[in-house]
Amino acid sequence: MPWLAGTALIHSLAVTEKRNTFKRWTVLLALLVFSLSLLGTFLVRSGILVSVHAFANDPERGVFILAFLSVVIGGGLGLYAARAHRLDSPGHFELMSRETLLLFNNVLLIIATFSVLLGTLYPLIIDVLGMPSMSVGPPYFNAIFVPLALPLLFLCAVGPIARWKKTRPRELLRRLQVPLMLAVILGIAIPLSLFGTATGMTLLAVALGIWCVSAPLVVLWRQFGRMRRGTSVGYSLRHIPRHMIGMAFAHMGLGVVALGIAFTTAYSQERQLVMKPEQTVHFAARDFQFHGVRSVKGPNYDAIRGEISVHREAEELVRLYPEKRTYRVQRSPMTEAAIYSTLWSDTYAALGEPVPGGGWGVRLYVKPTIQWLWGGALLMALGGILALSDKRYRYRRKRRIA
């Protein structure tokens, strides 16, 4: 929740900095981000939430965090109510402008934030009211986030290209011609050429991902063209503002994440089967050969380790060693999956239970473009670092010191 609200805050701050507007909304978002950070800490530290993401049950710490949260929210909103009228926002902008697009961006992100908040707290509220317990899982979040993510990806490409105050629709369409063509052509060609089939939602998601990656490149190219007039190529590249490069990297990272999610959601394959020693199974264009199991001892656990070789076109790609571990202190069994990661796909193997006849239960998974999720996140982080290193922030600090 703080990440979503914090993203809205970053974009709102851009409007406040450039156009001296959205001031009250920006302050309110800042209060919301910190309050949600404390709320998340309370949920996972107090023991009120039963989840694999929760820490050890500590009611005393939970009461302290709840009291601190109450002071922050109550004090922050009290100060906001008392002082917000002093924050004037004199800026004026048209309906078709960058300010409006960033406002829509904020609305979508805040809706997503409160959707997560509702899905997190609703089971707790139901439990307090004494109604039958329930859990909110992936179907709820998929139903909420997909309709919100698609327009967000669309705005992610349009916003940086639009002008402040007012943008002519014809001019905006002209600037977006290349990203639009790439999104339509590659959005259809890539899934069909790589996987042979695609649903309408997959084509739309891939097209929006490519749209989101290509539009920032247009922004950088236009900026390079402005700097190029009468100067060398090296000078032009060095003097592109870092905040603009950071914005481009962050938006491209989001597009890469969207592509990774689209491909892994549409084309992941899994299979659960029983395999005997030296048996070979063909799955997901790969041959998996099970070589049996053996007992191993770890530093604090005993394990049964399986061995599976993965082949493609008679060439061995890797050997996977999934384990079933039993930790000596807690005596709790755990399944340790073996993973083979490449840029294009991740292959997982998990060892199940023995079955009569000498076989073992085995689960196999092949998930494409999982690494793209991490790569996109790194691009976004790099974009943030580049934006923070922009010289205008250093100059402002020097002026304040002076």
Side-chain angles (χ1 to χ4, degrees), residues 62 73 95 174 187 206 239 277 319 325:
I73 294 178
L95 179 62
R174 179 176 57 81
V206 173
H239 286 78
R319 289 201 173 223
R325 296 178 177 178

Side-chain angles (χ1 to χ4, degrees), residues 13-253:
L13 277 168
V15 183
T16 302
E17 179 189 25
K18 289 286 187 180
R19 298 284 299 123
N20 199 31
T21 187
F22 290 7
K23 289 182 179 180
R24 299 175 187 175
W25 175 242
T26 301
V27 173
L28 187 60
L29 280 177
L31 293 172
L32 179 65
V33 171
F34 187 56
S35 300
L36 289 174
S37 301
L38 293 176
L39 177 61
T41 305
F42 168 71
L43 290 175
V44 299
R45 294 282 183 176
S46 63
I48 192 173
L49 188 67
V50 179
S51 169
V52 295
H53 304 292
F55 291 84
N57 191 350
D58 189 351
E60 293 182 1
R61 181 180 297 172
V63 171
F64 171 77
I65 297 174
L66 183 61
F68 186 45
L69 176 63
S70 302
V71 171
V72 169
I73 294 178
L77 291 180
L79 286 172
Y80 180 81
R83 301 292 183 90
H85 66 278
R86 300 186 181 184
L87 298 174
D88 295 327
S89 298
H92 173 73
F93 54 89
E94 301 292 333
L95 179 62
M96 183 60 71
S97 64
R98 187 180 295 188
E99 292 93 329
T100 303
L101 295 174
L102 290 173
L103 179 61
F104 288 156
N105 159 286
N106 271 219
V107 171
L108 292 171
L109 287 169
I110 294 304
I111 292 174
T113 301
F114 281 99
S115 299
V116 177
L117 181 63
L118 176 63
T120 303
L121 297 183
Y122 187 72
L124 302 179
I125 297 172
I126 290 295
D127 187 50
V128 170
L129 296 177
M131 301 173 66
S133 61
M134 63 172 295
S135 62
V136 178
Y140 166 79
F141 292 104
N142 291 339
I144 292 294
F145 268 85
V146 171
L148 294 174
L150 297 180
L152 269 175
L153 289 171
F154 175 78
L155 293 175
C156 189
V158 180
I161 293 180
R163 291 183 181 273
W164 297 105
K165 295 182 67 174
K166 183 179 181 179
T167 299
R168 294 187 179 90
R170 184 177 299 178
E171 179 186 10
L172 191 61
L173 288 174
R174 179 176 57 81
R175 294 180 178 181
L176 289 169
Q177 281 180 350
V178 174
L180 183 60
M181 292 173 58
L182 290 174
V184 172
I185 296 172
L186 297 180
I188 296 174
I190 291 177
L192 295 180
S193 62
L194 292 179
F195 301 99
T197 182
T199 64
M201 182 58 71
T202 302
L203 294 176
L204 178 60
V206 173
L208 284 173
I210 295 171
W211 164 266
C212 202
V213 170
S214 57
L217 295 177
V218 173
V219 175
L220 292 179
W221 178 255
R222 291 181 65 250
Q223 183 66 25
F224 174 75
R226 289 198 205 99
M227 303 293 297
R228 184 71 179 86
R229 296 170 186 170
T231 62
S232 65
V233 173
Y235 178 89
S236 303
L237 291 174
R238 288 195 306 271
H239 286 78
I240 295 177
R242 287 190 186 177
H243 75 273
M244 185 172 291
I245 300 175
M247 176 273 297
F249 273 52
H251 286 193
M252 290 167 61

Side-chain angles (χ1 to χ4, degrees), residues 260 264 267-273 275 283-284 286 288 308-310 317-323 335-342 344-351 361-374:
T264 195
Y267 300 110
S268 291
Q269 301 180 59
E270 62 179 88
R271 186 171 177 183
Q272 190 166 350
L273 68 162
M275 298 185 73
F283 167 67
R286 299 163 177 82
F288 294 83
I308 301 173
S309 58
V310 183
L317 299 177
V318 67
R319 289 201 173 223
L320 302 175
Y321 298 95
E323 296 180 351
T335 299
E336 188 74 15
I339 305 174
Y340 171 59
S341 298
T342 67
W344 302 108
S345 67
D346 280 20
T347 303
Y348 304 80
L351 192 64
V362 176
R363 296 192 301 274
L364 304 174
Y365 304 85
V366 175
K367 294 182 175 291
T369 63
I370 287 291
Q371 298 303 313
W372 292 24
L373 305 182
W374 299 104

